[in-house]
Amino acid sequence: MTRLVLLGPPGAGKGTQAALLAARLQVPAISTGDIFRANVAGRTELGLTVERYLDAGEYVPDSVTNAMVRDRLAQPDAADGFILDGYPRTTEQVRELDGMLAEAGAQLEHVLEITADTDELVRRLVARGRAQGRSDDTEDVIRNRQRVYAEQTAPLVQVYAERGLLRSVDGLGEVAEVTARLVAALEHVVDLREVQLPRTAQDAVSG
Ligand code: ADP
């Protein structure tokens, strides 16, 4: 059972790592950015609503994003765990996610932050824009996305750190290296739990 959130600025490699971790952990990777882009490409009602936000590098309004994620997490494949890539991104979304999970009697287990410095991020996104033609990978929009991340999403690092859920991992290096760091960070959490288990059991026995 893995309920995991991946945090990190645009270009940190969340999408790539989410897919690799999902295959390894046997849970779906859920990317709000991918879902929005698929809806834009498919000219759905949701796509028409969100297109201008994506193109400007602004966040889609919380009400729209939260409803979309609520639907997706209610799908059967997410019942036993998931990796969220790109959600939550605002403190309001954190509250919503807490509520959705509480209603299902579940809670978040891990938050992994992938870090990288701004110059590297911009460089990667400009390269991706050339290779894939993503409409929000132009230099102006990239800078706006970085700004929006710093203002609205970076504070979530502190929120999850205070809950003891956060592990930060360096996003520089080969893809496989970063994956190994993420897996090691997850195992570290598991190890800590194993250390604590016998003590808890003993406490229970000794009353
Ligand atoms: P990146 O992290 O590379 O910027 P994503 O694919 O995660 O890209 O997201 C692309 C765009 O989709 C964002 O710039 C934003 O417009 C929208 N989006 C994705 N997730 C959210 C979210 N949780 N809240 C609001 N908008 C979102």
Side-chain angles (χ1 to χ4, degrees):
M1 184 99 49
T2 311
R3 294 193 178 85
L4 192 160
V5 162
L6 275 185
L7 268 182
K14 295 188 299 294
T16 303
Q17 297 298 337
L20 291 167
L21 285 178
R24 204 169 166 128
L25 301 170
Q26 297 288 298
V27 293
I30 299 173
S31 158
T32 45
D34 283 351
I35 298 173
F36 286 142
R37 276 187 294 277
N39 277 275
V40 171
R43 314 301 299 155
T44 67
E45 201 180 320
L46 175 64
L48 295 175
T49 306
V50 305
E51 185 168 23
R52 64 193 162 106
Y53 299 104
L54 267 68
D55 284 346
E58 297 292 334
Y59 286 168
V60 171
D62 282 338
S63 57
V64 176
T65 307
N66 287 332
M68 198 268 288
V69 171
R70 180 177 284 276
D71 275 2
R72 181 61 189 87
L73 289 184
Q75 302 297 310
D77 67 332
D80 290 335
F82 50 76
I83 297 174
L84 279 173
D85 156 20
Y87 184 93
R89 266 179 151 109
T90 65
T91 48
E92 171 59 26
Q93 292 178 12
V94 170
R95 261 196 301 279
E96 274 292 315
L97 177 61
D98 288 342
M100 287 178 220
L101 292 175
E103 285 165 30
Q107 55 183 6
L108 211 55
E109 282 138 276
H110 310 285
V111 178
L112 295 178
E113 180 200 15
I114 307 180
T115 61
D117 70 50
T118 308
D119 287 348
E120 167 72 8
L121 296 170
V122 173
R123 198 186 58 71
R124 288 184 189 179
L125 292 170
V126 169
R128 184 173 75 185
R130 289 207 189 98
Q132 298 178 10
R134 239 178 80 164
S135 61
D136 59 349
D137 280 344
T138 61
E139 199 151 341
D140 279 359
V141 179
I142 289 168
R143 293 207 184 281
N144 195 40
R145 283 156 63 205
Q146 306 286 0
R147 200 160 38 232
V148 171
Y149 181 87
E151 280 167 15
Q152 300 200 47
T153 306
L156 273 50
V157 169
Q158 184 65 24
V159 169
Y160 285 125
E162 279 166 12
R163 293 187 193 182
L165 293 176
L166 186 86
R167 296 288 177 286
S168 293
V169 159
D170 182 359
L172 285 190
E174 299 290 326
V175 169
E177 269 175 60
V178 178
T179 309
R181 287 177 202 143
L182 291 167
V183 170
L186 289 176
E187 281 165 0
H188 176 64
V189 176
V190 173
D191 284 347
L192 287 178
R193 280 187 195 161
E194 278 165 3
V195 171
Q196 280 164 11
L197 271 177
R199 215 191 301 145
T200 314
Q202 221 173 12
D203 289 348
V205 171
S206 59

